[in-house]
Amino acid sequence: MNDRDKSKEQLIEELLETRRRYRNIIDTAQEGIIMTDARAHLVFANQHIARMLGLTPEEMLGRPVFDFMDDLSRTVAEHCMLQLREGKSLQHDFRFRRKDGTNLWAIVSSSPVFDEGNAYMGSLCMITDITERKKMEQALIRAETKFRTLVEYSLTGIYLIQGGKFQYVNPKLAEIFGYTQEEIIALPSVLDLVAANSRDLVAENIRKRMEGEAQSIQYIFQGRKRDGSIIDVEALGTRIDFDGRPAIIGNLHDITERKRMEETIKHQAYYDLLTDLPNKTLFIDRLNLALTQAHRNRQMLAVLFLDLDRFKNINDSLGHAAGDLLLKAVADRLKSCVRETDTVARIGGDEYAIILSQISREEDITVIAKKVIASFKEPYAIDDHLLHSTVSIGISLYPNDGEYAGTLLKNADLAMYHAKELGRNNYQFYSPALNIRTLERIILENALRRTLERGELVVYYQPQVDIATRRILCVEALVRWQHPDLGLLNPLQFIPLAEETGFIVSLDEWVLRTACAQSKAWQNAGLPPVCITVNLSSRQFQQQNLVEMVMQVVRETELDPSLLNLEITESTAMQQIERAIPRLAELSAKGIHFSIDDFGTGYSSLSYLKRLPVRKIKIDKSFITDVPHNPDDMAIITAIIAMAHKMKLFVIAEGVETEEQLSFLRSSECDGIQGYLVSEPLPAEEFEALVLSNVQYHQPLPFAPRKNRL
C-alpha cells in the first residue's frame, strides 16, 4: 500500500469519525430533529423525537411525516410543505399523536433543503415539545373565559377605573346608564355618568382610594343616564394595582326603585288594617333586607305567593263582612305555620305572601308549603257557618329565580297561577318555562297587531250551495293569518286572542272591506254577481258606529248592498237583542241581508228571531258531525229546519263533509249546505278558477271532497 492509499484511508476514517461525532451530537440533542425528502417522507429522525413519540428512529424512517399528526395538524402541515418548496422557512405549532394514542404539542421550525441545481430535496425540522405550555395556556384561557362569563352575565354593574376613566364596564353597567360598553369607555371622565350634585362626592371617594387613604368605599350617589334622567346608584369600589398603576375595581346597582319605595313608605302605613299583617310595601322592604342578608351569608331565600281558591264565591254569597272575617282567620293560620323570623304579609284582596329566610335546603320550603295547605283542611267557623277554603301557592327561590324582590314576587305569582291551572289546592315552584309561556303570548299579541301593516292577513272564500240545484248561493269570507314563522294559521289559532285584546274590531273591518272589494273585482272581471257573507264579532257589533262603518265600506268598494250578507252568532244577537233590532233594521232597510251563525248552540228560541230582520240561519257544524250516527243530533236538526221553514227562514247546514250527511239533510228538506264536501275555503284566485271551471255558476258544482283542507 503506497502513501497515497494510506492518506485516502486516513481521510475516510476522519470523515467517518466526524459523521459519528455529529450523529452523537444530534442524537443527544434536547430537541427533536428530522429530515424529510421531497415527498415529505422521513429520511432521518434523531433519538429525541423518537422518544417524544414513543417510537424508535427505525419505526419512523420511510413514513410520511403526516402519519404522526392529528387530522387538523396534517392539513396545516400539507400546506406548509408547499411553502417550503417555495424556499420559505417556517415555524408553526403542530399536534402530534404518540404511539400510545396521547397527544403531544410541539413547535416545528422547518427549513427547506435544495441541491446544487436548486432542486427541492426536502426539509430539515427542529421539533420542541410544548405540551405543558399548551396545557397552561388552555387552563388560562378556560379561567379567563369563566371569569369573563361571570362578569359579562352578572346582574350587577361591574367596572374598572384608572386615570379617571373607565377602562372596562360589563353589559349590565352599560344597560343601567343606557349606553353601550364602548360608549362608556370612550367617555372623557368617570364623572360624565354622575349627576352634578354628586360629582364632588364621587371625585373625593375616587381620590381617597387612588391616593391610598382608603382601600374600599361603599356609598350612594346620583347618576345621570344617557337620556339625562337621574338615577340613584349604590357603588362599591376597591383599590387594586393594575399594570403597575393604581386602579379601582367595583360594582354598582341601580337603586332608584328602592329609594323611591323608601320615600313612599314615609307616607303610608306599614301594616294591613284588616289582618294586622305587614302590607305589600313593608313586605317588599323586608324582602330587600332579607335578600341583602342572604347574599352576604350566601344563603337561600324563598318567596311564597298565596291566593285563596274561589274566595269570590264566599264573598258574593255571604257578604263582604263574612269575607273579611275569613281573611283575618287565614292570616292567623298562616302565621302559625311559619317561624318568628319569617314574614307573612297580605298583598291585597285574598292574596298573601311569605318570606322564608335562612333556608339551607329546598326540602325545608316544601315542608312549610305542605304545612300551609294542610292547615286549610280544618273548616273556618264564620258567622255560624263552617266554611271550607283551600289555597294555591307559588314559590320562587333566591338566587335561582331572581336577585331582586320584584322579580322573585313576580315569578312566585306566575307559579301560583300555574298551581291554579293544575287544579288548585297545591303548591308549585317557579320555572323559566312559565315566563316563556307569558312571553310567547305577548309576542303573538304584538305580532297580531302588526298583521294589517305587514299585509299578513288573507281572506279565503268558501261557497254556500243550494242543496237541490247545487248552484252557489253565497260565498263566505274567512280570514287566515299568513304568519312569517308559523305558516298559515286558521281563525281558531288567533281570533280568540284578537277578541280578548280588542283587535277584532279592526280585523273585522279589514275583512269586510277586503271581501266587498273582491266581490266587486270579480264582477268587473266578468263573473256574475255573487252574494258575499262576512262575519261580525260580538265586539264589532257593540260599536256605536257599526251602521256608518258598514255603509262607508259599501260605498267605497261600490258593491251593491243586496250582495252583502252579514253573519252574527246566535249568542251575540240574543244577548244584545234590544241593541240588535234597530241596527239590523237600519242596515236591512239599506238592502243588506243578515243571517244567524252557529244556530242551536246558544240559548235563544225561534220566537226571538221574529223581531230580527233575519233571512237565513246556519245550523252549527257540531250537530252535523255525528250524522247519521247520532239520533239526538238528527232530531234537533229536523226540528230546527221544520220550525225555520214555518218562519220562512232559509236554512244552511255548515260543516258537511260526507255523502251520508248530505243525504240526511236532503231528506230533512234543508235548503243549503257549506263544507268540504263541496269545497274547502280557497284563496280568491283558486275560488275564481273553481267558478270558471263550472261555467260561471251556470252549472251545478259537484259534491266531492277537495284536497288540502284547512
Side-chain angles (χ1 to χ4, degrees):
M1 180 181 299
N2 57 36
D3 293 340
R4 184 177 179 180
D5 290 336
K6 288 182 179 180
S7 297
K8 186 183 295 185
E9 288 180 0
Q10 185 178 0
L11 179 61
I12 292 173
E13 182 62 30
E14 289 175 354
L15 289 173
L16 290 175
E17 179 60 28
T18 301
R19 180 180 178 183
R20 283 192 296 270
R21 188 181 304 116
Y22 280 112
R23 179 59 185 259
N24 186 53
I25 293 172
I26 291 173
D27 277 339
T28 57
Q30 296 304 305
E31 288 188 321
I33 301 174
I34 61 172
M35 290 187 66
T36 68
D37 61 15
R39 296 178 305 151
H41 286 65
L42 291 174
V43 296
F44 174 79
N46 73 344
Q47 291 291 340
H48 190 76
I49 184 62
R51 287 194 298 271
M52 287 168 63
L53 298 178
L55 299 165
T56 64
E58 291 73 22
E59 290 177 302
M60 299 177 65
L61 296 180
R63 295 172 61 183
V65 69
F66 311 126
D67 284 358
F68 308 102
M69 300 177 178
D70 67 5
D71 293 340
L72 180 60
S73 292
R74 182 181 298 116
T75 302
V76 176
E78 290 172 350
H79 178 70
C80 290
M81 287 299 176
L82 297 177
Q83 294 179 292
L84 287 169
R85 288 178 177 275
E86 297 174 358
K88 298 179 180 178
S89 296
L90 304 171
Q91 187 177 79
H92 208 286
D93 293 358
F94 292 98
R95 188 160 63 179
F96 290 85
R97 185 77 68 183
R98 295 189 180 98
K99 185 176 182 179
D100 62 6
T102 58
N103 293 324
L104 177 144
W105 277 99
I107 293 179
V108 179
S109 300
S110 306
S111 299
V113 178
F114 297 91
D115 63 11
E116 294 179 355
N118 206 31
Y120 178 70
M121 296 179 59
S123 64
L124 173 64
C125 304
M126 307 293 290
I127 303 172
T128 304
D129 186 346
I130 60 169
T131 303
E132 291 304 316
R133 192 188 80 187
K134 278 287 185 179
K135 288 181 179 179
M136 292 178 62
E137 289 176 354
Q138 291 170 356
L140 287 172
I141 291 172
R142 286 194 298 270
E144 182 182 357
T145 301
K146 182 178 180 181
F147 171 76
R148 181 169 293 277
T149 300
L150 290 172
V151 172
E152 292 288 311
Y153 289 93
S154 173
L155 297 179
T156 298
I158 298 174
Y159 61 86
L160 175 67
I161 296 173
Q162 192 174 57
K165 294 182 59 176
F166 288 106
Q167 303 300 318
Y168 170 80
V169 296
N170 73 339
K172 183 61 180 179
L173 188 142
E175 176 191 329
I176 289 173
F177 287 95
Y179 289 85
T180 65
Q181 292 170 269
E182 293 77 12
E183 289 172 337
I184 291 183
I185 293 173
L187 291 175
S189 170
V190 170
L191 300 180
D192 289 333
L193 295 184
V194 182
N197 61 350
S198 294
R199 289 190 174 185
D200 290 343
L201 171 65
V202 174
E204 179 63 10
N205 283 330
I206 291 176
R207 184 196 64 77
K208 287 180 179 179
R209 282 167 293 180
M210 297 298 285
E211 294 181 3
E213 292 183 20
Q215 184 68 21
S216 296
I217 299 178
Q218 183 173 5
Y219 61 102
I220 295 174
F221 67 93
Q222 287 197 311
R224 183 170 61 84
K225 298 179 67 171
R226 181 175 185 171
D227 60 8
S229 59
I230 303 301
I231 59 174
D232 293 301
V233 178
E234 182 177 36
L236 170 64
T238 302
R239 174 194 165 109
I240 63 170
D241 288 324
F242 185 75
D243 287 343
R245 294 190 299 147
I248 299 173
I249 188 170
N251 59 72
L252 58 80
H253 302 271
D254 179 356
I255 61 168
T256 305
E257 290 302 318
R258 191 184 78 189
K259 293 283 287 185
R260 187 175 301 160
M261 184 183 304
E262 290 171 353
E263 292 300 321
T264 302
I265 289 175
K266 295 177 182 178
H267 300 88
Q268 292 181 347
Y270 287 90
Y271 290 87
D272 176 55
L273 296 178
L274 177 65
T275 62
D276 202 34
L277 290 177
N279 61 12
K280 185 175 181 179
T281 301
L282 184 53
F283 174 83
I284 295 295
D285 189 46
R286 289 189 179 180
L287 181 54
N288 281 324
L289 292 174
L291 286 170
T292 301
Q293 293 173 353
H295 176 73
R296 184 185 303 119
N297 300 327
R298 298 183 179 180
Q299 292 178 323
M300 187 185 301
L301 180 148
V303 173
L304 278 61
F305 197 100
L306 304 87
D307 185 87
L308 302 185
D309 298 328
R310 300 184 178 89
F311 174 74
K312 187 176 184 299
N313 295 340
I314 296 174
N315 221 25
D316 291 345
S317 59
L318 299 180
H320 292 289
D324 288 348
L325 291 174
L326 176 60
L327 293 174
K328 293 175 65 176
V330 167
D332 293 336
R333 287 199 186 177
L334 292 179
K335 286 190 292 185
S336 68
C337 294
V338 300
R339 303 162 300 181
E340 291 185 2
T341 55
D342 298 325
T343 295
V344 178
R346 183 186 176 206
I347 301 301
D350 60 337
E351 296 175 339
Y352 298 82
I354 299 175
I355 302 172
L356 301 179
S357 56
Q358 301 178 15
I359 299 294
S360 57
R361 302 178 309 162
E362 287 190 18
E363 290 81 357
D364 299 335
I365 303 168
T366 301
V367 169
I368 295 176
K370 289 180 177 179
K371 185 177 180 181
V372 170
I373 290 175
S375 72
F376 278 75
K377 292 182 179 179
E378 192 71 25
Y380 293 90
I382 306 293
D383 285 345
D384 298 328
H385 297 283
L386 288 178
L387 302 181
H388 292 271
S389 181
T390 57
V391 65
S392 297
I393 305 174
I395 305 170
S396 63
L397 305 178
Y398 168 86
N400 297 355
D401 303 329
E403 296 186 353
Y404 299 98
T407 304
L408 289 167
L409 194 61
K410 179 197 71 175
N411 291 342
D413 192 7
L414 284 174
M416 183 274 294
Y417 276 105
H418 186 48
K420 285 193 177 289
E421 290 174 357
L422 296 178
R424 299 180 173 87
N425 194 32
N426 69 92
Y427 65 90
Q428 294 295 322
F429 283 87
Y430 168 79
S431 70
L434 301 179
N435 259 343
I436 293 173
R437 287 167 54 187
T438 302
L439 181 60
E440 287 174 343
R441 179 180 176 84
I442 293 173
I443 291 173
L444 186 62
E445 178 181 338
N446 291 337
L448 180 60
R449 292 185 181 277
R450 296 193 296 270
T451 53
L452 295 182
E453 62 187 70
R454 293 181 176 179
E456 295 174 358
L457 292 179
V458 292
V459 176
Y460 277 44
Y461 299 88
Q462 188 176 38
Q464 298 171 353
V465 180
D466 188 289
I467 204 169
T469 66
R470 293 186 293 171
R471 290 192 173 91
I472 295 177
L473 300 167
C474 209
V475 181
E476 183 173 4
L478 301 166
V479 67
R480 300 289 188 268
W481 180 5
Q482 188 64 55
H483 194 282
D485 299 320
L486 304 177
L488 192 64
L489 304 182
N490 66 52
L492 292 177
Q493 294 174 283
F494 64 93
I495 290 297
L497 181 60
E499 290 176 336
E500 182 178 334
T501 59
F503 179 72
I504 192 68
V505 175
S506 300
L507 189 150
D508 278 355
E509 182 176 345
W510 181 87
V511 173
L512 176 65
R513 190 178 303 276
T514 302
C516 290
Q518 182 62 65
S519 178
K520 185 64 178 178
W522 281 330
Q523 294 179 52
N524 294 340
L527 274 68
V530 60
C531 165
I532 195 83
T533 294
V534 179
N535 294 280
L536 287 183
S537 66
S538 176
R539 292 287 291 269
Q540 183 66 266
F541 198 73
Q542 296 173 22
Q543 300 303 303
Q544 294 294 330
N545 66 336
L546 174 65
V547 175
E548 292 78 9
M549 184 273 291
V550 173
M551 295 312 302
Q552 181 179 351
V553 170
V554 170
R555 286 193 299 271
E556 291 177 358
T557 59
E558 300 180 348
L559 181 71
D560 183 348
S562 65
L563 294 178
L564 177 59
N565 180 82
L566 298 178
E567 277 190 4
I568 57 175
T569 64
E570 178 187 11
S571 58
T572 296
M574 295 306 108
Q575 288 174 359
Q576 306 176 50
I577 185 70
E578 298 304 326
R579 179 182 298 180
I581 292 173
R583 291 186 174 184
L584 269 59
E586 186 175 353
L587 288 170
S588 181
K590 298 180 184 296
I592 294 174
H593 304 299
F594 286 91
S595 59
I596 298 296
D597 193 14
D598 299 338
F599 193 84
T601 61
Y603 49 82
S604 64
S605 65
L606 287 174
S607 62
Y608 278 105
L609 296 181
K610 294 180 180 179
R611 304 175 60 188
L612 299 173
V614 174
R615 295 189 178 187
K616 180 171 59 179
I617 64 172
K618 288 175 66 176
I619 301 176
D620 187 75
K621 62 183 179 182
S622 62
F623 295 103
I624 308 298
T625 302
D626 292 332
V627 171
H629 309 294
N630 190 321
D632 293 335
D633 285 348
M634 295 167 68
I636 293 172
I637 294 169
T638 302
I640 291 175
I641 294 173
M643 288 187 291
H645 283 169
K646 285 193 175 292
M647 298 178 64
K648 296 182 174 54
L649 295 173
F650 195 89
V651 183
I652 287 184
E654 63 178 356
V656 179
E657 296 191 4
T658 67
E659 293 288 348
E660 291 83 0
Q661 293 169 348
L662 173 64
S663 177
F664 167 75
L665 292 168
R666 183 183 287 119
S667 66
S668 301
E669 299 183 343
C670 184
D671 301 302
I673 65 169
Q674 178 181 350
Y676 282 84
L677 183 63
V678 178
S679 172
E680 63 182 314
L682 298 171
E685 299 80 8
E686 293 185 30
F687 180 80
E688 183 176 337
L690 172 68
V691 173
L692 291 173
S693 68
N694 289 275
V695 198
Q696 298 182 339
Y697 309 122
H698 296 301
Q699 293 296 325
L701 290 176
F703 289 147
R706 297 181 62 81
K707 299 179 180 179
N708 302 321
R709 298 180 179 180
L710 184 60

